[in-house]
Amino acid sequence: MDDREAYDRLDSTASSPSELFEHFERWSADGRTYRLLTDARHGVERGTVVVERTGAIVRGYPSVSRILTLETGVHAVFDVDETIVVEEKLDGFNVRIADVGADGPLAFTRSGYVCPYTTDRVRTLLDLPEYFTAHPETMLCVELIGPETPYTTHDYDGVDSNAVRVFGIRDRVSGVPLPVTERRTRCEAYGFPQPRLFGRGPPDVAAEVVRDAVGALDAAGREGVVLKAANGAPRAKYTTESQHHAELAYALSLPFEYGRDFLFSRIVRDAFQAAECDDDAALEERAQDLGESILLPMVETIRRVENGETVGERHTVRGDADSVDALLAHLRDQSLTVEVVDDGCEDGERVVEFVKVAESTTDQIRHYLDGGTRDE
Amino acid sequence: MDDREAYDRLDSTASSPSELFEHFERWSADGRTYRLLTDARHGVERGTVVVERTGAIVRGYPSVSRILTLETGVHAVFDVDETIVVEEKLDGFNVRIADVGADGPLAFTRSGYVCPYTTDRVRTLLDLPEYFTAHPETMLCVELIGPETPYTTHDYDGVDSNAVRVFGIRDRVSGVPLPVTERRTRCEAYGFPQPRLFGRGPPDVAAEVVRDAVGALDAAGREGVVLKAANGAPRAKYTTESQHHAELAYALSLPFEYGRDFLFSRIVRDAFQAAECDDDAALEERAQDLGESILLPMVETIRRVENGETVGERHTVRGDADSVDALLAHLRDQSLTVEVVDDGCEDGERVVEFVKVAESTTDQIRHYLDGGTRDE
């Protein structure tokens, strides 16, 4: 397919194919070449993919704005007579599953790469052939969750290894979502697990639903909620204190990889939530917990580097031997240094524990421990 | 004087006058025009000033590196047989006082502007005519400290309004410092107050001196120390936990002005100090205190904006009426919005309390309180 046809189908605000496609990068795997959009441009979402030979399009998943003040935010984002659907937001790995004419459906990461491991997982965990035979023009928007994924490690009750939740179904080319009710019905029909639905209603009701949901999710150490229009479009997200602190703890355990980027935004979220929700005692407790989330993981990492340990993100993955190998190759293709810590077999599956080595954190901590100075 | 002569006297690494002077900006006050260097370039320090008509030069004060690990840092920065002088680092406003042929000595800020208020203060607090008659070729490097300054508000025991400490004497053109011993003797001769001297010795001894000094300074809520070579060159600084937390509290009270820039660096300092010095209990206490320094001031500011109050940096200044007026004009020249809160008279001096309005913090907090979304 030529650029003109892909350009027409993407319905962008760019005035010519070249104006749009100059922002795409080429990427190859398994004998296929993809073009992917590394940043949102001309009304087209980041992570949008055009398969080179066939011209198949997999539209990126839109970024969702965040409200910081719950009471006013719900009313500012939605009209007074709109119905809002409140669903759980999960802390996992967001992929789009699409059948683009390869040997089976593929899992595309948020930025538009095919992840071989997630592809293997979703093929195992969902009955995809039956689904895509009936709905080839759609993509499933899925969160891969659980302790055994190569990207996230958030624990969820009842998920020992990994699992998926289908939180959206969209037209693969236009990105138009299925209304929430239809999506939930269709997923139930195919036996696809979904995120928890907390309730639906106009803004007044929804704000109350969110408040209760976030309280319960916070107590359970879960991430938060997404507020969707009835037509399926996610319009806002709102997260828990425990999630803010967990993300800070994670980022500060690898301070020179993630610290600077994570810090301010999580503190902003936490402060607005505290200003809206906390009495003096709750505020004091939140502040102390915030400080522990920031300082303790960083001090632990400094001491581990001092002891000569490898620091980085530790993950465990499980699957058939080939998909695990493909994953490790895929990660190394992305310029990550991957150290395999353990490589074994359990119940006929290969189980590999590995560390994505945090080079910048290791090098900089070593520098300062050796007496190196810092210029600011 | 022409550019060639100023270029020769600045002894830079630039290969021509234009290569150097293209980085200077012109600035006028009181009928004089200055050129000042806004960033360190070609071996010339930021804040270096060339007075336009006379060609007088006031060399910038060098930036001083920071060590994060005390034990190794002192040994990495100094040779094993060097003598290190440990002096207190004060949390104030760093100016250079120089006599460049105006109606009297002027106080140049770190970035090279003449501050009319600080000029008035140093003329009142120090006997400058006597000094500059004897040493016209030098500049005094001075910290203006105390609760009544237009820039900082750190309280020091015994300083009710403001005071100065002379921490360096340098050749005005070359920037070469007087050795510490000579500077201390000369300052004593003129009755100039100086920062506290904690001790001197080779690296082993100095590390111990710093450790004790920082412990005492931390308990007193003071900033930290500067480690100087005997020739007077400052080579490293090291600061207290209480200073890190106080700076965070200050920055997070105006989060959208300073939060992002202040956060990471102060946390890094605190974490390395904790990793080196803290047992489990001290670490826990530091972490909780850190969290309180970050969250509580920000929540307080959010609630103040919600109540319609003006937020910003609140300062009190005291002096003759003209110098206070000149200060307010000077601050407004720097694009600051200054709201005078109180304007009165005490003991024949004018005392003005004002707020540098934090526009960005006010606007952004208002936006989020009104339900505005945040895209990250």
Side-chain angles (χ1 to χ4, degrees):
Chain A
M1 191 178 65
D2 64 11
D3 278 3
R4 168 60 64 176
E5 195 178 331
Y7 164 78
D8 287 342
R9 295 176 70 205
L10 281 168
D11 193 26
S12 73
T13 61
S15 59
S16 70
S18 64
E19 191 179 316
L20 179 62
F21 286 109
E22 70 181 359
H23 303 295
F24 279 68
E25 279 183 9
R26 271 195 174 66
W27 185 75
S28 293
D30 286 337
R32 278 180 299 275
T33 302
Y34 307 88
R35 283 192 289 176
L36 60 87
L37 186 59
T38 53
D39 275 309
R41 298 272 182 176
H42 302 294
V44 181
E45 293 79 6
R46 179 175 84 94
T48 295
V49 175
V50 180
V51 183
E52 188 91 323
R53 198 178 45 76
T54 63
I57 288 172
V58 184
R59 192 91 182 195
Y61 194 81
S63 77
V64 180
S65 296
R66 176 181 294 278
I67 52 178
L68 294 184
T69 307
L70 182 55
E71 190 57 48
T72 53
V74 175
H75 291 86
V77 172
F78 292 91
D79 289 335
V80 67
D81 56 355
E82 267 191 297
T83 295
I84 304 166
V85 187
V86 181
E87 290 191 311
E88 182 171 1
K89 180 180 193 324
L90 293 152
D91 181 9
F93 189 56
N94 173 325
V95 292
R96 292 155 288 150
I97 310 173
D99 187 350
V100 293
D103 334 317
L106 301 173
F108 292 88
T109 70
R110 197 75 188 264
S111 31
Y113 295 98
V114 173
C115 173
Y117 181 78
T118 312
T119 296
D120 175 70
R121 288 292 88 191
V122 298
R123 288 180 183 180
T124 304
L125 294 164
L126 301 173
D127 185 355
L128 297 179
E130 189 192 11
Y131 176 81
F132 281 110
T133 302
H135 306 287
E137 78 294 352
T138 67
M139 58 187 182
L140 299 173
C141 304
V142 164
E143 202 86 15
L144 177 71
I145 59 170
E148 294 188 348
T149 90
Y151 307 103
T152 60
T153 54
H154 198 123
D155 277 320
Y156 282 100
D157 274 353
V159 181
D160 290 333
S161 173
N162 48 49
V164 293
R165 300 286 183 267
V166 180
F167 60 88
I169 297 179
R170 293 181 164 243
D171 183 275
R172 189 156 58 68
V173 176
S174 69
V176 171
L178 222 54
V180 178
T181 306
E182 283 181 54
R183 187 206 89 220
R184 295 200 71 95
T185 306
R186 189 185 290 181
C187 283
E188 274 164 31
Y190 285 94
F192 293 167
Q194 301 182 73
R196 190 166 154 196
L197 172 70
F198 284 103
R200 66 177 74 216
D204 277 341
V205 174
E208 203 50 42
V209 169
V210 171
R211 201 181 324 277
D212 291 348
V214 164
L217 291 169
D218 187 43
R222 297 171 79 113
E223 179 169 7
V225 295
V226 177
L227 287 74
K228 293 180 176 172
N231 72 5
R235 294 254 288 276
K237 55 191 173 190
Y238 189 73
T239 47
T240 63
E241 173 185 348
S242 61
Q243 181 71 13
H244 308 156
H245 295 189
E247 287 182 8
L248 285 169
Y250 161 78
L252 274 300
S253 75
L254 302 171
F256 295 100
E257 255 74 18
Y258 301 119
R260 199 182 283 274
D261 292 340
F262 270 60
L263 266 172
F264 189 62
S265 54
R266 272 64 179 184
I267 290 168
V268 167
R269 294 173 199 169
D270 221 34
F272 276 88
Q273 191 169 67
E276 188 176 6
C277 305
D278 287 4
D279 58 25
D280 287 355
L283 176 60
E284 183 70 21
E285 200 181 319
R286 184 194 291 260
Q288 295 187 349
D289 193 66
L290 174 77
E292 291 173 15
S293 304
I294 290 173
L295 199 67
L296 305 185
M298 183 159 173
V299 170
E300 191 188 324
T301 296
I302 293 171
R303 289 177 174 165
R304 290 179 58 201
V305 171
E306 195 165 22
N307 292 335
E309 294 172 42
T310 299
V311 300
E313 296 166 77
R314 191 167 289 255
H315 294 281
T316 300
V317 293
R318 167 187 309 260
D320 70 67
D322 286 351
S323 81
V324 170
D325 277 338
L327 168 70
L328 297 176
H330 169 74
L331 295 175
R332 288 174 174 135
D333 275 352
Q334 318 252 324
S335 306
L336 296 173
T337 303
V338 176
E339 266 185 35
V340 172
V341 177
D342 199 55
D343 193 342
C345 203
E346 267 177 38
D347 307 328
E349 286 187 307
R350 186 163 164 211
V351 180
V352 171
E353 191 184 340
F354 65 88
V355 178
K356 295 178 189 165
V357 178
E359 313 254 14
S360 180
T361 290
T362 307
D363 292 351
Q364 291 203 54
I365 288 180
R366 175 54 52 212
H367 169 76
Y368 296 128
L369 285 175
D370 288 347
T373 57
R374 185 170 170 86
D375 301 308
E376 282 151 355
Chain B
M1 192 177 68
D2 64 10
D3 278 3
R4 167 61 63 180
E5 194 178 332
Y7 164 79
D8 287 342
R9 296 175 70 206
L10 281 168
D11 193 27
S12 73
T13 60
S15 58
S16 70
S18 64
E19 191 178 316
L20 179 61
F21 286 109
E22 69 181 359
H23 303 295
F24 279 68
E25 279 183 10
R26 271 195 174 66
W27 184 76
S28 294
D30 286 336
R32 279 179 298 275
T33 302
Y34 306 89
R35 283 193 289 177
L36 59 88
L37 186 59
T38 54
D39 275 309
R41 299 271 184 179
H42 301 293
V44 181
E45 293 79 6
R46 179 174 84 93
T48 294
V49 175
V50 180
V51 183
E52 189 91 324
R53 198 177 44 77
T54 64
I57 287 172
V58 184
R59 191 89 180 195
Y61 194 80
S63 76
V64 181
S65 296
R66 176 180 293 279
I67 53 177
L68 294 183
T69 307
L70 182 55
E71 190 58 49
T72 53
V74 176
H75 291 86
V77 171
F78 293 92
D79 289 335
V80 68
D81 56 354
E82 268 190 295
T83 295
I84 303 167
V85 187
V86 181
E87 290 191 312
E88 182 171 3
K89 179 179 193 326
L90 293 151
D91 181 10
F93 189 57
N94 173 324
V95 293
R96 291 155 287 149
I97 309 172
D99 187 351
V100 293
D103 334 316
L106 300 173
F108 291 88
T109 70
R110 198 75 187 266
S111 29
Y113 295 97
V114 174
C115 173
Y117 181 79
T118 312
T119 295
D120 175 71
R121 289 292 85 192
V122 298
R123 288 180 183 181
T124 305
L125 294 163
L126 301 173
D127 185 357
L128 298 178
E130 190 191 12
Y131 176 80
F132 281 111
T133 302
H135 306 287
E137 78 295 350
T138 68
M139 58 187 181
L140 299 173
C141 304
V142 162
E143 202 87 14
L144 176 71
I145 59 170
E148 294 188 346
T149 91
Y151 307 103
T152 60
T153 56
H154 198 122
D155 277 319
Y156 281 100
D157 275 354
V159 181
D160 290 333
S161 172
N162 48 49
V164 293
R165 299 288 182 267
V166 179
F167 60 87
I169 297 178
R170 293 180 166 244
D171 183 275
R172 190 157 56 69
V173 176
S174 69
V176 171
L178 222 55
V180 178
T181 306
E182 284 181 52
R183 186 204 89 220
R184 294 200 71 95
T185 307
R186 188 185 291 181
C187 284
E188 275 163 31
Y190 286 93
F192 293 166
Q194 300 184 73
R196 190 165 153 196
L197 172 70
F198 285 102
R200 65 177 74 217
D204 277 341
V205 174
E208 203 51 40
V209 169
V210 172
R211 201 182 321 278
D212 292 347
V214 164
L217 292 169
D218 188 42
R222 297 170 79 113
E223 180 168 8
V225 296
V226 177
L227 286 75
K228 294 179 175 173
N231 72 5
R235 295 254 288 275
K237 54 192 174 191
Y238 188 73
T239 47
T240 62
E241 173 184 349
S242 61
Q243 180 71 11
H244 308 156
H245 295 190
E247 287 183 7
L248 285 169
Y250 161 77
L252 273 300
S253 74
L254 303 172
F256 296 99
E257 255 74 19
Y258 302 119
R260 198 183 284 275
D261 292 339
F262 269 60
L263 267 171
F264 189 63
S265 54
R266 272 63 180 185
I267 290 168
V268 166
R269 295 173 198 170
D270 220 35
F272 276 88
Q273 191 170 67
E276 188 175 6
C277 305
D278 287 3
D279 59 24
D280 287 354
L283 177 59
E284 183 70 20
E285 200 181 322
R286 186 195 290 260
Q288 295 186 350
D289 193 66
L290 174 77
E292 292 173 14
S293 304
I294 290 173
L295 200 66
L296 305 187
M298 182 158 175
V299 170
E300 191 189 323
T301 297
I302 293 171
R303 289 177 174 166
R304 288 179 58 202
V305 171
E306 196 166 20
N307 293 334
E309 295 173 42
T310 299
V311 300
E313 295 165 77
R314 189 167 290 255
H315 294 282
T316 300
V317 292
R318 164 186 313 257
D320 70 67
D322 286 351
S323 82
V324 170
D325 277 337
L327 168 71
L328 297 176
H330 169 74
L331 295 175
R332 288 176 174 133
D333 275 352
Q334 318 251 323
S335 306
L336 296 173
T337 304
V338 176
E339 266 185 35
V340 172
V341 177
D342 198 56
D343 192 342
C345 203
E346 268 178 37
D347 307 327
E349 285 188 308
R350 185 162 165 213
V351 180
V352 171
E353 190 184 340
F354 66 86
V355 178
K356 296 177 189 164
V357 179
E359 313 253 13
S360 180
T361 290
T362 306
D363 292 351
Q364 291 203 55
I365 289 180
R366 174 57 49 212
H367 169 75
Y368 296 128
L369 285 175
D370 288 345
T373 58
R374 184 170 170 86
D375 301 309
E376 282 151 354

